[in-house]
């Protein structure tokens, strides 16, 4: 429960109909709906906002932090837009519809993003990310094949015969960027938790960061970096003993009919004016 | 019973010149339930890291099923599960089910067989009905059992558990012991690294006590003299010498 309150983009397991859509179809829809929300006409934005509210009903409630932040931003934008219009009035109420439209655009983008992350496993996106990278790697290898000499004669370099071929190397860290991405997202809350524990322990021993004691703060930073590296090290060991290899098999599901419908809707949204 | 692990004159020297393990000779047979006990820093975890190929010996040899550990790494990954003390660091899924799929999927298990492995692991770890829970919502004891289930889903022949009772309350310890009893009955080789021997001694078939990187005792648990526990920095588990017993 705690991480749902602190992380509004946490995955929500359950039988939501949205969770059954293909991750790529949902990602395409998120990009299209974000683009449409930020540029479409007011009536379309109102419709998209209403739809985001309806879809959000399926998702359990998260912490109100981001909503409050967006509300504050929208309020600030409304004040900037309407205050002291220059004709002696304090506030121009005629700017309110435009401000409301701006707020609806921001809330829509937030709600659709939350729906996407709450109904999509990070590993699903990660697997597709890795698949795309591996495909790009194959293409890279094909187009960067260079002729290399099999064995150069140290006495007479003119004798070296070009008889083998190889491609430019691809760093091994790029073999599975999807897992890198998944693990990084999964471990962010743990890193924050480690930071909180170290900060609290420091505070209990009289190290207050607010007092700007650079030397002590650096000591805590050092502790935090070491702790983060230890978390990463223990994680890598655990992955190793559970048989992880960067060339692991990927779980890639096929697009179904409903996914194509969602992609078509996304294409339609991109064409909205 | 066939031999699983064997260490022969195993030594591990740290960069500062101290020995983490010193002349360790040991073999573990299939089907045994071994406790490896010792005070903090005695070399328990280090010994197991050598057994699963996570550390390299300074001198001596370590074998798995008769061949050097370095040659057997793929087989070890398939047959030997390791549950680390830090459970948080070994949870990779956003749900319990997804986490359990991590290991078998790495071994190439797919489809219905993968689902069967997950369901069996959930059952064996006494976690039925928790498949769709999110790991952050689990209690400390449940997370420890999830880490065990993650290993069980790979259907290992041997499981190494590093301090499985650390930071757990009594009901959680009871749950872990119950899982261990089930696994023992199924013939899985169990190696438990702990200094809390009183919790698991009744289940074990063998007790090995390490002290300063050397084997101080290796026999049936009931054959251990009372003096060995205090000499090795352990709690004497017997009623007459248990230090915190209330009359």
């Amino acid at each position: 429960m705690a991480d749902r309150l602190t992380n509004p983009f946490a995955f929500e397991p359950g039988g939501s109909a949205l969770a059954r859509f293909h991750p790529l179809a949902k990602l395409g829809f998120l990009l299209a709906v974000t683009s449409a929300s930020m540029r479409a006409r007011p009536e379309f934005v109102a419709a998209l906002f209403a739809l985001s509210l309806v879809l959000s009903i399926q998702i359990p409630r998260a912490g109100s932090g981001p909503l409050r932040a967006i509300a504050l931003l929208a309020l600030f934008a409304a004040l900037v837009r309407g205050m002291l219009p220059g004709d002696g009035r304090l506030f121009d109420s005629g700017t309110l519809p435009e401000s409301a439209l701006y707020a609806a655009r921001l809330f829509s983008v937030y709600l659709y993003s939350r729906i996407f992350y709450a109904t999509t496993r990070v590993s699903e996106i990660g697997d597709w990310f890795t698949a795309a990278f591996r495909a790009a790697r194959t293409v890279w290898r094909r187009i960067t094949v260079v002729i290399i000499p099999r064995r150069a004669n140290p006495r007479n370099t003119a004798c070296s015969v070009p008889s083998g071929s190889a491609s430019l190397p691809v760093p091994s860290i790029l073999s599975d960027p999807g897992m890198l991405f998944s693990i990084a997202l999964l471990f962010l809350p743990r890193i924050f938790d480690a930071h909180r524990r170290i900060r609290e322990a420091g505070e209990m021993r009289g190290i207050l960061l607010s007092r700007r004691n650079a030397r002590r703060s650096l000591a805590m930073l050092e502790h935090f970096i070491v702790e983060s590296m230890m978390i990463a090290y223990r994680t890598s060991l655990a992955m190793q003993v559970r048989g992880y290899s960067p060339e692991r098999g990927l779980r890639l599901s096929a697009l179904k009919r409903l996914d194509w419908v969602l992609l078509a809707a996304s294409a339609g949204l991109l064409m909205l004016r | 019973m066939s031999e699983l692990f064997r260490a022969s004159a195993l030594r591990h020297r740290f960069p500062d010149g101290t020995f983490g393990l010193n002349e360790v000779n040991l073999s573990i047979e299939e089907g045994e339930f071994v406790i490896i006990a010792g005070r903090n820093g005695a070399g328990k975890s280090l010994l197991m890291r050598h057994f699963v190929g996570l550390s390299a010996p300074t001198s001596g040899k370590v074998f798995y099923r008769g061949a050097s550990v370095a040659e057997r790494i793929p087989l070890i990954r398939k047959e030997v599960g390791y549950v680390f003390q830090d459970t948080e660091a070994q949870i990779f899924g956003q749900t319990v089910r997804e986490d359990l799929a991590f290991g078998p999927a790495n071994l190439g298990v797919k489809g219905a067989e993968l689902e069967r492995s997950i369901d069996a692991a959930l059952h064996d770890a006494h976690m039925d009905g928790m498949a769709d829970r999110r790991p952050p919502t689990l209690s400390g004891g449940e997370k420890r059992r999830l880490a065990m289930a993650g290993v069980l889903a790979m259907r290992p022949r041997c499981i190494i558990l590093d301090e499985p009772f650390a930071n757990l309350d009594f009901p959680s310890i009871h749950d872990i012991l119950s899982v261990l009893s089930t696994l023992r009955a199924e013939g899985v080789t169990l190696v438990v690294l702990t200094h809390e021997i009183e919790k698991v001694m009744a289940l074990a078939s063998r007790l090995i006590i390490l002290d300063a990187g050397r084997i101080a005792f290796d026999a049936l648990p009931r054959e251990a003299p009372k003096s060995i526990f205090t000499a090795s920095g352990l709690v004497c588990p017997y009623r007459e010498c248990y230090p915190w017993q209330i009359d």
Side-chain angles (χ1 to χ4, degrees):
Chain A
M1 193 65 73
D3 84 316
R4 182 185 296 160
L5 295 175
T6 52
N7 178 12
F9 297 105
F11 175 68
E12 297 288 349
S16 155
L18 295 166
R20 287 194 277 275
F21 278 97
H22 196 280
L24 290 186
K26 280 188 282 188
L27 184 62
F29 183 73
L30 174 68
L31 295 174
V33 84
T34 302
S35 165
S37 297
M38 294 313 286
R39 60 178 169 69
R41 290 204 304 266
E43 54 272 26
F44 281 125
V45 175
L48 289 174
F49 180 53
L51 180 64
S52 72
L53 289 175
V54 171
L55 293 176
S56 295
I57 293 169
Q58 293 197 38
I59 313 297
R61 281 182 61 195
S64 57
L67 283 175
R68 264 185 288 161
I70 294 170
L72 273 175
L73 181 65
L75 187 67
F76 178 72
L79 286 173
V80 168
R81 190 173 280 125
M83 268 188 57
L84 305 173
D87 54 5
R89 287 180 298 165
L90 197 62
F91 189 83
D92 178 9
S93 57
T95 59
L96 282 178
E98 204 181 329
S99 298
L101 176 65
Y102 177 69
R105 291 187 199 278
L106 289 182
F107 278 113
S108 297
V109 170
Y110 166 70
L111 289 172
Y112 281 113
S113 304
R114 174 158 156 65
I115 291 164
F116 174 74
Y117 284 107
T119 60
T120 312
R121 287 182 169 86
V122 176
S123 60
E124 288 179 302
I125 314 166
D127 278 5
W128 280 100
F129 193 35
T130 295
F133 231 90
R134 287 184 187 171
R137 187 179 62 180
T138 308
V139 174
W140 169 260
R141 280 182 176 156
R142 281 190 190 144
I143 62 174
T144 60
V145 168
V146 290
I147 305 296
I148 57 166
R150 182 193 284 167
R151 186 177 295 161
N153 185 335
R155 290 182 193 158
N156 182 6
T157 50
C159 291
S160 56
V161 182
S163 56
S165 69
S167 61
L168 290 177
V170 179
S172 59
I173 196 168
L174 295 179
S175 297
D176 192 2
M179 179 58 79
L180 210 68
F181 173 67
S182 310
I183 294 287
L185 282 182
L186 205 62
F187 280 81
L188 272 179
R190 287 175 201 174
I191 299 287
F192 289 142
D193 191 47
H195 176 260
R196 183 187 53 77
R197 275 188 283 114
I198 291 166
R199 183 173 49 77
E200 286 175 358
E203 282 179 10
M204 290 307 290
R205 295 172 68 185
I207 303 173
L208 289 175
L209 293 178
S210 56
R211 285 192 187 160
R212 296 186 182 178
N213 185 330
R215 214 175 112 210
R216 287 176 174 184
S217 300
L218 274 178
M220 283 178 63
L221 182 67
E222 183 189 339
H223 189 173
F224 172 64
I225 291 170
V226 170
E227 177 68 19
S228 305
M229 289 178 79
M230 287 309 293
I231 292 174
Y233 174 65
R234 288 194 292 261
T235 302
S236 69
L237 285 186
M239 288 173 77
Q240 209 175 328
V241 297
R242 281 173 78 182
Y244 172 74
S245 147
E247 298 299 330
R248 72 195 166 98
L250 304 174
R251 283 183 288 168
L252 307 173
S253 51
L255 288 157
K256 296 184 196 121
R257 194 176 296 164
L258 268 178
D259 299 316
W260 288 109
V261 171
L262 191 63
L263 283 173
S266 308
L269 283 172
L270 282 174
M271 283 185 268
L272 268 185
R273 285 284 174 266
Chain B
M1 286 200 293
S2 61
E3 182 186 81
L4 272 189
F5 296 106
R6 182 156 52 88
S8 172
L10 174 64
R11 281 181 153 197
H12 183 104
R13 194 163 69 180
F14 293 118
D16 65 359
T18 57
F19 281 94
L21 295 170
N22 202 346
E23 289 296 319
V24 173
N25 292 292
L26 168 72
S27 82
I28 293 177
E29 305 278 317
E30 207 163 353
E32 280 191 297
F33 187 144
V34 184
I35 303 173
I36 299 187
R39 67 182 95 209
N40 294 337
K44 309 183 289 284
S45 302
L46 184 61
L47 178 61
M48 286 303 112
R49 288 168 58 92
H50 280 279
F51 277 11
V52 296
L54 293 176
S55 289
T58 307
S59 65
K61 294 229 160 121
V62 188
F63 302 93
Y64 181 74
R65 290 198 186 276
S68 113
V69 158
E71 292 168 28
R72 294 282 203 206
I73 290 292
L75 186 66
I76 290 172
R77 297 290 172 262
K78 199 173 165 196
E79 292 191 350
V80 181
Y82 199 128
V83 183
F84 293 92
Q85 190 179 342
D86 180 3
T87 43
E88 294 278 345
Q90 48 198 314
I91 296 173
F92 304 110
Q94 288 180 294
T95 62
V96 166
R97 180 173 289 279
E98 192 185 353
D99 184 65
L100 298 188
F102 183 83
N106 285 334
L107 297 179
V109 180
K110 290 178 188 168
E113 198 189 341
L114 179 63
E115 293 305 315
R116 269 198 302 277
S117 297
I118 293 170
D119 290 338
L122 282 168
H123 182 72
D124 288 349
H126 302 182
M127 293 186 79
D128 295 291
M130 292 191 188
D132 287 327
R133 292 272 300 274
R134 291 182 311 147
T137 67
L138 300 176
S139 69
E142 287 168 343
K143 279 182 188 165
R144 191 65 53 85
R145 275 187 288 143
L146 172 59
M148 287 175 74
V151 161
L152 289 173
M154 297 168 78
R155 301 274 116 204
R157 304 287 296 272
C158 169
I159 301 177
I160 300 164
L161 299 109
D162 195 345
E163 298 290 359
F165 313 113
N167 304 321
L168 294 186
D169 57 14
F170 178 70
S172 303
I173 291 171
H174 191 266
D175 286 339
I176 300 276
L177 287 174
S178 165
V179 174
L180 293 181
S181 300
T182 310
L183 293 173
R184 188 192 179 201
E186 287 174 4
V188 177
T189 309
L190 293 164
V191 181
V192 175
L193 317 182
T194 185
H195 57 267
E196 300 170 84
I197 44 175
E198 72 280 8
K199 287 167 183 144
V200 73
M201 208 157 135
L203 288 174
S205 59
R206 185 174 167 194
L207 173 66
I208 297 170
I209 297 177
L210 282 180
D211 196 11
R214 288 176 181 274
I215 294 180
F217 177 83
D218 179 3
L220 292 171
R222 64 170 180 273
E223 291 174 358
K226 285 161 195 150
S227 58
I228 192 75
F229 298 108
T230 39
S232 308
L234 297 165
V235 167
C236 176
Y238 299 111
R239 191 183 297 263
E240 58 272 27
C241 56
Y242 188 72
W244 296 298
Q245 190 170 313
I246 298 169
D247 293 322

